[in-house]
Amino acid sequence: MKFSDYRINEDIKFNLEQLGFKKPTDIQYKSIPAILRGEDVLAIAQTGTGKTAAFAIPIIHKIHSDKSSKRTDFIKCIVMVPTHELALQVNEVFEKIAEKTRVKTLCIFGGVEQDAQIKSLYKGIDIVIATPGRMFDLQHQGALDLSKIEILVLDEADHMLDLGFIKDIRDMQRFLPKNRQTLFFSATINEHIKKLAYSLVNNAIRIQISPKDPVSKNVQHAVAFIEMDDKRFFLERILKEHADKKVLVFVRTKVRAERVANAMSRAEIKTLTMHSDKEHKERLQVLEAFKKGKTKVLIATDINARGIDIPNVDFVVNYDLPDVAENYVHRVGRTGRGDQKGQAISFCSTEEKPTLKTIETFLTKPIHVIDIEKEDYLETVEFANDTILKEDLQSLLKEAEALEQKLKKKKKK
Ligand code: ADP
Ligand code: MG
């Protein structure tokens, strides 16, 4: 079935064509009719399979074709997402699919002035895409009226329900109409979260699980056993051997992100970093530069493990294994999006082996191991060691110290 065969508004069809969307993906094929019928949906589908459009298309169609109400005087749909980057990205998808229709969307998130957002809310907005913190703030201030919401969407649903926002979400329910439609979308889910999701809806939920394996079929992923202190040499080698490739590197903490970036810089490899210590504006600039491929390597913490749709990421490197098992799926899912293929490699040190086990249990199967020959291992370390010897060790220590101080100061604030 093609989008042109769907009974949806012609402007929407035109916009989908412009986006190059001809056929619905599996999850779109399964979700769109159910959402159009008004059912509550819990949709689980692999990373990069077009979940955003799976809810955006039917929502925009429904709001656009509802002739019953005075249209612009209330918010009809709220989409909740975990980060402001994701809010902007989802908003962009909504805007593109809603172009030239009557549907107006707005994106709200914290870390920036709220006045402009409040002002925009008065302009008659149909769909709000929001991060929870700012959304609850504006709601408590009376600037965001959710009392007539027809559709509530939780994207990255398991994370949203797990973030400690469940109490807020339950409180919020009191302000939402009872007969609303509720949609949950994610690539991962567990029994506990499923129960929470059920507790938020009146009707039976339709569960779409397409395919069983949570790791995207477009991603080839493997693990290599590399000791903690040697990891940077292996990253250096990978980055030098694939200088033309776009690589997303995940590390455990923001301090490590900066350290790894500095180590790469000493090896004359240009990188960008992304973590929660960066201002909103800088985070956007970094993401933009990486998206456009101006800088080929981005070192990030888990704040960007979920949802972010960056074109043409060739490799994901888990420099550290993620502490939260499902983040493995989300991290490696930043590559191999849409029809593209991607590769992911994880560095696992001796002390991380229990974490690897937990991840494998979550995936219900072992991760393929890349055997590194002893000789190769030593060669990688030796080769990089030469460059490291040239460095001033003192400055290395100072740099680490300065970073710790900076973080301490920030914490005090
Ligand atoms: P998910 O939320 O499932 O991880 P996204 O909604 O971010 O995935 O979409 C992943 C990519 O697939 C995006 O770049 C999007 O433009 C593309 N895409 C979505 N639907 C289609 C479609 N029907 N045909 C072609 N590409 C699509
Ligand atoms: Mg998504």
Side-chain angles (χ1 to χ4, degrees):
M1 191 156 168
K2 295 189 191 123
F3 279 122
S4 51
D5 302 328
Y6 273 70
R7 291 238 216 119
I8 49 173
N9 174 268
E10 289 301 322
D11 287 327
I12 297 177
K13 284 187 188 173
F14 178 80
N15 295 336
L16 292 175
E17 221 178 284
Q18 295 297 303
L19 283 168
F21 295 6
K22 292 187 183 74
K23 276 188 349 205
T25 63
D26 206 17
I27 194 66
Q28 289 165 358
Y29 178 76
K30 285 180 179 158
S31 318
I32 293 172
I35 299 175
L36 287 173
R37 284 196 297 272
E39 288 174 33
D40 291 333
V41 172
L42 169 65
I44 308 299
Q46 292 179 338
T47 53
T49 54
K51 291 189 284 296
T52 322
F55 56 82
I57 294 168
I59 290 174
I60 293 166
H61 173 78
K62 275 167 80 131
I63 295 176
H64 180 76
S65 29
D66 183 5
K67 308 239 162 40
S68 61
S69 53
K70 266 194 246 141
R71 295 196 56 269
T72 53
D73 59 356
F74 64 95
I75 298 165
K76 297 154 200 75
C77 169
I78 187 128
V79 181
M80 294 175 69
V81 297
T83 61
H84 53 224
E85 286 85 5
L86 206 46
L88 284 165
Q89 181 184 301
V90 170
N91 189 49
E92 204 181 317
V93 174
F94 269 83
E95 276 180 349
K96 282 184 179 155
I97 298 177
E99 216 175 291
K100 298 205 176 80
T101 68
R102 304 185 297 170
V103 180
K104 290 204 179 66
T105 70
L106 177 72
C107 183
I108 58 174
F109 46 81
V112 293
E113 291 283 323
Q114 61 172 35
D115 294 356
Q117 294 174 354
I118 294 177
K119 222 167 159 188
S120 303
L121 278 170
Y122 290 121
K123 285 189 191 148
I125 296 294
D126 299 295
I127 302 170
V128 171
I129 291 112
T131 54
R134 178 58 57 93
M135 190 193 94
F136 291 124
D137 264 6
L138 294 182
Q139 195 209 357
H140 290 150
Q141 292 170 40
L144 180 66
D145 178 11
L146 301 178
S147 65
K148 292 183 189 142
I149 292 284
E150 292 161 356
I151 308 169
L152 166 69
V153 185
L154 299 191
D155 192 18
E156 304 297 339
D158 57 334
H159 189 48
M160 298 303 293
L161 292 172
D162 208 22
L163 269 178
F165 286 113
I166 184 67
K167 190 178 167 301
D168 288 314
I169 292 173
R170 278 201 206 290
D171 286 349
M172 179 174 97
Q173 276 203 296
R174 286 187 289 132
F175 302 100
L176 300 178
K178 282 236 152 29
N179 57 355
R180 65 161 196 280
Q181 185 175 14
T182 310
L183 312 175
F184 305 92
F185 278 80
S186 187
T188 49
I189 191 86
N190 61 43
E191 281 308 312
H192 169 65
I193 298 289
K194 217 187 269 179
K195 277 198 193 117
L196 278 183
Y198 274 109
S199 76
L200 289 171
V201 293
N202 313 318
N203 333 8
I205 314 181
R206 176 177 286 260
I207 301 178
Q208 319 272 6
I209 301 189
S210 52
K212 282 235 162 5
D213 189 348
V215 174
S216 165
K217 63 178 189 322
N218 293 347
V219 181
Q220 247 188 8
H221 62 118
V223 60
F225 295 112
I226 299 170
E227 290 316 321
M228 206 51 103
D229 291 341
D230 301 333
K231 285 183 175 183
R232 57 182 160 161
F233 307 131
F234 281 86
L235 182 62
E236 178 184 333
R237 181 165 178 178
I238 290 178
L239 295 179
K240 282 195 170 151
E241 279 176 1
H242 302 278
D244 56 330
K245 299 276 197 264
K246 219 183 209 186
V247 186
L248 182 52
V249 183
F250 282 105
V251 292
R252 223 184 52 245
T253 65
K254 44 201 170 194
V255 174
R256 277 176 75 74
E258 293 303 333
R259 280 199 189 144
V260 176
N262 288 340
M264 291 308 112
S265 149
R266 286 191 299 274
E268 284 165 5
I269 297 168
K270 231 177 111 191
T271 65
L272 287 167
T273 59
M274 171 78 117
H275 47 70
S276 59
D277 259 4
K278 301 227 158 178
E279 301 274 330
H280 167 69
K281 220 169 130 194
E282 200 184 347
R283 273 164 66 167
L284 282 185
Q285 280 165 355
V286 165
L287 210 56
E288 205 46 40
F290 185 59
K291 262 187 187 165
K292 293 210 171 109
K294 279 188 200 153
T295 305
K296 297 270 188 195
V297 185
L298 176 62
I299 304 171
T301 57
D302 273 330
I303 51 163
N304 284 114
R306 279 182 182 255
I308 294 296
D309 186 46
I310 303 164
N312 312 319
V313 173
D314 302 290
F315 281 110
V316 167
V317 177
N318 282 322
Y319 190 87
D320 300 314
L321 288 181
D323 291 330
V324 180
E326 54 261 37
N327 277 357
Y328 180 85
V329 172
H330 294 283
R331 284 176 173 193
V332 304
R334 294 317 101 209
T335 180
R337 304 190 62 77
D339 298 333
Q340 295 183 329
K341 299 265 177 267
Q343 282 188 322
I345 179 161
S346 301
F347 295 172
C348 176
S349 65
T350 307
E351 52 272 53
E352 284 173 298
K353 283 192 175 160
T355 312
L356 180 65
K357 272 273 156 306
T358 316
I359 293 167
E360 289 180 327
T361 308
F362 179 79
L363 300 180
T364 67
K365 57 169 92 160
I367 299 171
H368 174 73
V369 177
I370 298 177
D371 277 322
I372 306 174
E373 301 270 335
K374 208 169 179 183
E375 248 170 52
D376 235 11
Y377 193 109
L378 289 174
E379 196 195 348
T380 304
V381 175
E382 294 271 306
F383 160 77
N385 248 340
D386 282 348
T387 54
I388 229 84
L389 277 178
K390 285 184 216 135
E391 287 160 23
D392 179 0
L393 226 120
Q394 211 60 31
S395 79
L396 244 174
L397 286 171
K398 267 193 195 146
E399 174 199 294
E401 226 170 72
L403 219 99
E404 299 289 354
Q405 290 295 340
K406 207 172 120 196
L407 278 175
K408 264 188 204 156
K409 262 192 208 156
K410 277 224 159 150
K411 262 198 186 141
K412 269 188 199 153
K413 267 191 215 164

mmCIF file of all heavy atoms in Angstrom, residues 45-53 55 81 86 89-90 155-156 185-187 306-309 330 334 337, ligand 2:
data_model
loop_
_atom_site.group_PDB
_atom_site.id
_atom_site.type_symbol
_atom_site.label_atom_id
_atom_site.label_comp_id
_atom_site.label_asym_id
_atom_site.label_seq_id
_atom_site.Cartn_x
_atom_site.Cartn_y
_atom_site.Cartn_z
ATOM 1 N N ALA A 45 8.371 -0.359 18.133
ATOM 2 C CA ALA A 45 9.042 -0.707 16.870
ATOM 3 C C ALA A 45 10.484 -0.251 16.924
ATOM 4 O O ALA A 45 10.814 0.729 17.600
ATOM 5 C CB ALA A 45 8.322 -0.058 15.703
ATOM 6 N N GLN A 46 11.336 -0.960 16.195
ATOM 7 C CA GLN A 46 12.778 -0.699 16.229
ATOM 8 C C GLN A 46 13.123 0.767 15.944
ATOM 9 O O GLN A 46 12.338 1.502 15.342
ATOM 10 C CB GLN A 46 13.461 -1.574 15.177
ATOM 11 C CG GLN A 46 13.408 -3.050 15.518
ATOM 12 C CD GLN A 46 14.081 -3.895 14.446
ATOM 13 O OE1 GLN A 46 14.222 -3.463 13.310
ATOM 14 N NE2 GLN A 46 14.487 -5.092 14.820
ATOM 15 N N THR A 47 14.323 1.139 16.350
ATOM 16 C CA THR A 47 14.810 2.501 16.115
ATOM 17 C C THR A 47 14.860 2.785 14.609
ATOM 18 O O THR A 47 15.144 1.881 13.824
ATOM 19 C CB THR A 47 16.233 2.656 16.676
ATOM 20 O OG1 THR A 47 17.061 1.624 16.134
ATOM 21 C CG2 THR A 47 16.252 2.579 18.186
ATOM 22 N N GLY A 48 14.563 4.020 14.268
ATOM 23 C CA GLY A 48 14.702 4.450 12.872
ATOM 24 C C GLY A 48 13.640 3.918 11.928
ATOM 25 O O GLY A 48 13.832 3.918 10.718
ATOM 26 N N THR A 49 12.502 3.462 12.474
ATOM 27 C CA THR A 49 11.471 2.896 11.598
ATOM 28 C C THR A 49 10.318 3.873 11.326
ATOM 29 O O THR A 49 9.262 3.468 10.854
ATOM 30 C CB THR A 49 10.907 1.578 12.180
ATOM 31 O OG1 THR A 49 10.450 1.839 13.521
ATOM 32 C CG2 THR A 49 11.952 0.490 12.211
ATOM 33 N N GLY A 50 10.524 5.140 11.654
ATOM 34 C CA GLY A 50 9.519 6.144 11.307
ATOM 35 C C GLY A 50 8.361 6.244 12.281
ATOM 36 O O GLY A 50 7.223 6.507 11.881
ATOM 37 N N LYS A 51 8.659 6.094 13.571
ATOM 38 C CA LYS A 51 7.574 6.165 14.560
ATOM 39 C C LYS A 51 6.974 7.578 14.627
ATOM 40 O O LYS A 51 5.790 7.735 14.857
ATOM 41 C CB LYS A 51 8.080 5.722 15.945
ATOM 42 C CG LYS A 51 8.386 4.229 15.995
ATOM 43 C CD LYS A 51 8.676 3.730 17.397
ATOM 44 C CE LYS A 51 10.063 4.102 17.896
ATOM 45 N NZ LYS A 51 11.162 3.493 17.123
ATOM 46 N N THR A 52 7.816 8.587 14.425
ATOM 47 C CA THR A 52 7.304 9.967 14.516
ATOM 48 C C THR A 52 6.162 10.190 13.532
ATOM 49 O O THR A 52 5.080 10.651 13.905
ATOM 50 C CB THR A 52 8.426 10.984 14.217
ATOM 51 O OG1 THR A 52 9.644 10.516 14.781
ATOM 52 C CG2 THR A 52 8.093 12.348 14.776
ATOM 53 N N ALA A 53 6.409 9.829 12.275
ATOM 54 C CA ALA A 53 5.355 10.020 11.267
ATOM 55 C C ALA A 53 4.182 9.087 11.530
ATOM 56 O O ALA A 53 3.047 9.405 11.181
ATOM 57 C CB ALA A 53 5.912 9.802 9.867
ATOM 58 N N PHE A 55 2.698 8.548 14.233
ATOM 59 C CA PHE A 55 1.643 9.251 14.987
ATOM 60 C C PHE A 55 1.324 10.618 14.390
ATOM 61 O O PHE A 55 0.204 11.084 14.437
ATOM 62 C CB PHE A 55 1.917 9.302 16.500
ATOM 63 C CG PHE A 55 3.230 9.918 16.955
ATOM 64 C CD1 PHE A 55 3.376 11.288 17.075
ATOM 65 C CD2 PHE A 55 4.304 9.098 17.300
ATOM 66 C CE1 PHE A 55 4.574 11.838 17.534
ATOM 67 C CE2 PHE A 55 5.508 9.640 17.755
ATOM 68 C CZ PHE A 55 5.648 11.025 17.862
ATOM 69 N N VAL A 81 8.070 14.544 24.967
ATOM 70 C CA VAL A 81 9.351 13.922 24.593
ATOM 71 C C VAL A 81 10.398 14.244 25.664
ATOM 72 O O VAL A 81 10.251 15.236 26.384
ATOM 73 C CB VAL A 81 9.850 14.450 23.219
ATOM 74 C CG1 VAL A 81 8.899 14.091 22.109
ATOM 75 C CG2 VAL A 81 10.076 15.951 23.267
ATOM 76 N N LEU A 86 14.990 16.647 20.897
ATOM 77 C CA LEU A 86 13.967 15.765 20.352
ATOM 78 C C LEU A 86 12.657 16.538 20.130
ATOM 79 O O LEU A 86 11.955 16.314 19.148
ATOM 80 C CB LEU A 86 13.758 14.588 21.301
ATOM 81 C CG LEU A 86 13.226 13.314 20.681
ATOM 82 C CD1 LEU A 86 13.940 12.938 19.411
ATOM 83 C CD2 LEU A 86 13.320 12.167 21.680
ATOM 84 N N GLN A 89 13.083 18.338 16.938
ATOM 85 C CA GLN A 89 13.072 17.396 15.805
ATOM 86 C C GLN A 89 11.654 16.901 15.496
ATOM 87 O O GLN A 89 11.238 16.892 14.341
ATOM 88 C CB GLN A 89 13.983 16.220 16.152
ATOM 89 C CG GLN A 89 14.087 15.171 15.071
ATOM 90 C CD GLN A 89 14.926 14.003 15.553
ATOM 91 O OE1 GLN A 89 16.082 14.171 15.914
ATOM 92 N NE2 GLN A 89 14.357 12.814 15.577
ATOM 93 N N VAL A 90 10.925 16.520 16.551
ATOM 94 C CA VAL A 90 9.554 16.035 16.345
ATOM 95 C C VAL A 90 8.683 17.166 15.807
ATOM 96 O O VAL A 90 7.870 16.980 14.904
ATOM 97 C CB VAL A 90 8.980 15.445 17.665
ATOM 98 C CG1 VAL A 90 7.487 15.166 17.547
ATOM 99 C CG2 VAL A 90 9.718 14.162 18.044
ATOM 100 N N ASP A 155 6.180 10.021 23.404
ATOM 101 C CA ASP A 155 7.207 9.442 22.543
ATOM 102 C C ASP A 155 8.336 9.005 23.474
ATOM 103 O O ASP A 155 8.513 9.604 24.531
ATOM 104 C CB ASP A 155 7.701 10.502 21.538
ATOM 105 C CG ASP A 155 8.553 9.873 20.445
ATOM 106 O OD1 ASP A 155 8.500 8.647 20.256
ATOM 107 O OD2 ASP A 155 9.288 10.623 19.765
ATOM 108 N N GLU A 156 9.098 7.998 23.092
ATOM 109 C CA GLU A 156 10.070 7.387 24.013
ATOM 110 C C GLU A 156 9.331 7.056 25.306
ATOM 111 O O GLU A 156 9.771 7.385 26.415
ATOM 112 C CB GLU A 156 11.243 8.350 24.298
ATOM 113 C CG GLU A 156 11.990 8.845 23.080
ATOM 114 C CD GLU A 156 12.690 7.736 22.302
ATOM 115 O OE1 GLU A 156 12.939 6.674 22.874
ATOM 116 O OE2 GLU A 156 12.962 7.939 21.112
ATOM 117 N N PHE A 185 4.688 5.501 22.159
ATOM 118 C CA PHE A 185 5.612 5.002 21.124
ATOM 119 C C PHE A 185 7.000 4.830 21.703
ATOM 120 O O PHE A 185 7.490 5.709 22.416
ATOM 121 C CB PHE A 185 5.686 5.986 19.942
ATOM 122 C CG PHE A 185 4.548 5.806 18.981
ATOM 123 C CD1 PHE A 185 3.303 6.340 19.246
ATOM 124 C CD2 PHE A 185 4.732 5.079 17.815
ATOM 125 C CE1 PHE A 185 2.243 6.147 18.368
ATOM 126 C CE2 PHE A 185 3.686 4.890 16.924
ATOM 127 C CZ PHE A 185 2.436 5.419 17.198
ATOM 128 N N SER A 186 7.628 3.717 21.393
ATOM 129 C CA SER A 186 9.023 3.525 21.804
ATOM 130 C C SER A 186 9.653 2.339 21.073
ATOM 131 O O SER A 186 8.958 1.567 20.412
ATOM 132 C CB SER A 186 9.106 3.277 23.306
ATOM 133 O OG SER A 186 10.474 3.261 23.697
ATOM 134 N N ALA A 187 10.963 2.235 21.196
ATOM 135 C CA ALA A 187 11.657 1.069 20.633
ATOM 136 C C ALA A 187 11.837 0.004 21.705
ATOM 137 O O ALA A 187 12.117 -1.151 21.401
ATOM 138 C CB ALA A 187 13.009 1.469 20.058
ATOM 139 N N ARG A 306 18.619 8.707 22.731
ATOM 140 C CA ARG A 306 17.264 8.416 22.262
ATOM 141 C C ARG A 306 16.749 9.382 21.204
ATOM 142 O O ARG A 306 16.932 10.587 21.320
ATOM 143 C CB ARG A 306 16.300 8.482 23.438
ATOM 144 C CG ARG A 306 16.296 7.205 24.256
ATOM 145 C CD ARG A 306 15.299 7.344 25.355
ATOM 146 N NE ARG A 306 15.282 6.165 26.206
ATOM 147 C CZ ARG A 306 14.320 5.241 26.170
ATOM 148 N NH1 ARG A 306 13.314 5.360 25.345
ATOM 149 N NH2 ARG A 306 14.374 4.215 26.969
ATOM 150 N N GLY A 307 16.087 8.782 20.229
ATOM 151 C CA GLY A 307 15.226 9.550 19.327
ATOM 152 C C GLY A 307 15.888 10.368 18.248
ATOM 153 O O GLY A 307 15.345 10.518 17.158
ATOM 154 N N ILE A 308 17.067 10.916 18.553
ATOM 155 C CA ILE A 308 17.676 11.863 17.619
ATOM 156 C C ILE A 308 17.936 11.199 16.261
ATOM 157 O O ILE A 308 18.524 10.134 16.172
ATOM 158 C CB ILE A 308 18.997 12.424 18.228
ATOM 159 C CG1 ILE A 308 18.677 13.254 19.467
ATOM 160 C CG2 ILE A 308 19.763 13.246 17.217
ATOM 161 C CD1 ILE A 308 17.852 14.494 19.222
ATOM 162 N N ASP A 309 17.462 11.877 15.227
ATOM 163 C CA ASP A 309 17.543 11.326 13.874
ATOM 164 C C ASP A 309 18.585 12.104 13.076
ATOM 165 O O ASP A 309 18.298 13.143 12.511
ATOM 166 C CB ASP A 309 16.151 11.443 13.222
ATOM 167 C CG ASP A 309 16.098 10.777 11.871
ATOM 168 O OD1 ASP A 309 16.589 9.636 11.740
ATOM 169 O OD2 ASP A 309 15.567 11.399 10.928
ATOM 170 N N HIS A 330 19.044 1.997 22.093
ATOM 171 C CA HIS A 330 18.831 3.355 21.598
ATOM 172 C C HIS A 330 20.111 3.937 21.009
ATOM 173 O O HIS A 330 20.090 4.568 19.967
ATOM 174 C CB HIS A 330 18.278 4.247 22.711
ATOM 175 C CG HIS A 330 16.906 3.823 23.136
ATOM 176 N ND1 HIS A 330 15.791 4.101 22.386
ATOM 177 C CD2 HIS A 330 16.483 3.095 24.183
ATOM 178 C CE1 HIS A 330 14.732 3.577 22.983
ATOM 179 N NE2 HIS A 330 15.124 2.959 24.082
ATOM 180 N N ARG A 334 21.132 4.936 16.637
ATOM 181 C CA ARG A 334 21.382 6.241 15.984
ATOM 182 C C ARG A 334 21.975 6.033 14.602
ATOM 183 O O ARG A 334 22.086 6.969 13.833
ATOM 184 C CB ARG A 334 22.335 7.132 16.827
ATOM 185 C CG ARG A 334 21.840 7.633 18.173
ATOM 186 C CD ARG A 334 20.433 8.107 18.146
ATOM 187 N NE ARG A 334 19.541 7.098 18.696
ATOM 188 C CZ ARG A 334 18.273 6.952 18.342
ATOM 189 N NH1 ARG A 334 17.730 7.742 17.462
ATOM 190 N NH2 ARG A 334 17.530 6.011 18.880
ATOM 191 N N ARG A 337 19.375 4.165 10.105
ATOM 192 C CA ARG A 337 18.016 4.707 10.168
ATOM 193 C C ARG A 337 17.344 4.666 8.801
ATOM 194 O O ARG A 337 18.016 4.756 7.781
ATOM 195 C CB ARG A 337 18.045 6.118 10.747
ATOM 196 C CG ARG A 337 18.725 6.107 12.126
ATOM 197 C CD ARG A 337 18.598 7.384 12.867
ATOM 198 N NE ARG A 337 17.242 7.769 13.183
ATOM 199 C CZ ARG A 337 16.513 7.242 14.156
ATOM 200 N NH1 ARG A 337 16.985 6.275 14.893
ATOM 201 N NH2 ARG A 337 15.292 7.688 14.387
HETATM 202 MG MG MG B 2 11.502 8.367 17.585
#
